[in-house]
Each structure stands twice: as C-alpha cells, then as structure tokens.
Amino acid sequence: MEIADGIHLIKNPHSTYFVSSVLIMGESLTLVDAGRVESPETSIYPAIKALGRDPREISLLVLTHAHWDHCAGAAQIKRETGCDVAVHSNGKAYLADPETVAKELTLRFPGVPAGNMAAFDAVDPEIVFSEGSTIALDGRELKVVHTPGHSAGSCCIVEADLGLYIAGDSIQGRGERRPLIFHDANAYLSSMNRLLGEPIEILVNGHPFPPSGEGVLRGEVTKRHVEESIKAVEELKDTVLEALGDSDGAVSLVEIHEAIGAFQPFTIGCILEALKAEGKATRETAGGRVLWQA
Ligand SMILES: [Zn+2]
C-alpha cells in the first residue's frame, strides 16, 4: 500500500491482524521495522519484489522499538543484505539479549507469565540514536522523536517534509490487548501530550489499533487517535482504582486483572505503578505475594 511517493506500508501477518513495516525507496532501500521472525520471507521480500526492487538493496533497517514482533526479522535481513541496523539507545540491550524484556517484566510483575517475547536472534546495531537524532537517506532525512511509554526506547521515526510519523506501538489508541502494554503509563501520557503538539500529517501505526483499525491515518484523524490514546489510559486508571476500592483489602495484580477482565496483566501492572507514583495506591509484600491497595 502506497503511503506517499516512494513510501510503502507492508502489512506483515501477525495473529489475527498485522504488524507494520515501512519501505522507503531511494537509490537504496530503507526499511522501518522488521516484523516477526518469518516476515522477511513471507511478506517483506515479496512486497519489495512486487515493487520491482531487490531485497538485497536494503541498506538500512530502522527499528521503532525492540519488541519481538517488530524486530525478530532483523537478524535475517541484516545477514542477507548486510544492512545497518538503527535503534534507540534504550532498545540496544533488548536486541543484544532477547530474554531481557521477559526478565524485566517478570522481576517487576512476579507471577505473570511473560510469553514468547524472546523469540528472535540477537542483533548488534550499527547506529544507536536518541531524541532529535537525524538519519540521512539518499534524498531524504529521517528524524527521531523519542516517545517512551510503550517501551523505554519507543520512538516515532519522522519524515518531516511529509509530516509522516512512523509510530510503531508508541500511540495505541484503544489498543487493549493489541497491545496496550506499557513500560511506563505516565511516560506514555507525557509522550501523547507531546505528540498533540507535533505537526503530524500522516501517522503509520504498528498495528491496526482501534478505534480506527487502520494502519495509516491522515489529517485530523491522527490527532483524534492521540486523544483517544490519552482517554484510554485515563479511563483505565479510573477502572483500576475502582477495582481496588471494591476489593476486600489488599489484592494481587492477577486478581485485579481478573476483576477487570480485559487488557494485558502487564498493562494493569503499569497502571498500578502509575497510581502508586501519584499516591493513589500502595504496594506491599505479604507472605511472598505482592499486594495492592487503594
Ligand atoms: Zn511493542
């Protein structure tokens, strides 16, 4: 799907929906996000060939963040094309050791299974960027807008001339299980408030987040998507606080998750941490269990 002249969205199949890659065509090819481990073979390379180009022309792979469904294809693409890989400094450790995401989540939220987030080969990035970094392509420039929250290294990769923001999972709308997972809920809200002031013309999401359910949003809809993302988290905070208030004494994260009946347990955990930081919830350890109370 063409996003702009020479810029294409590749929808890599992912569960019942998709994870986005963006192909930027110049003299060589730049790819933003590498999809799942099978994505190079099954969707990225075929899309490039269908556009009359050769996957071996990929000279740069930029990652919006280092979560498995966006970076698991990176090792194969790098091996087969010799491309440089670029990631935010906060994502480097996750690429070097794919176990890191699951390990950190297990430490923060004991008793919640971390799933298959380590299902990829390690990658050593050539380019490590940060807020405001620029990446020169032939005929274009990409700019990094650091939007932490979903993960500490989540970024929007921006083509400023077009107002094109490739957001990965930075702006999740009403994402719920696909995949409203935060590294830090209050950092996420700060990033959303910052993005309300950014000149976004075209927004490319990492997944077809509700309410739009589209990979590419344009014009005023982009702002509404950011506003919905803020509302979703504010409302979730209220819901969690209510569940805490309704419970008899201190409860575990898993119990609160079950009471609410939606969202990833990690999402609820991040909301609890945010409420704790605001003095609205307390965390205690009793009999080896971590318990929360309003
Ligand atoms: Zn992610």
Side-chain angles (χ1 to χ4, degrees), residues 65 67 69-70 150-151 154 169 179 181 207:
H65 67 300
H67 278 164
D69 53 328
H70 298 256
H150 173 67
S151 72
S154 285
D169 295 346
I181 169 175
H207 308 283

Side-chain angles (χ1 to χ4, degrees), residues 98-112:
E99 301 276 349
T100 307
V101 178
K103 273 188 210 156
E104 281 186 3
L105 286 170
T106 303
L107 274 179
R108 275 171 72 186
F109 308 118
V112 180

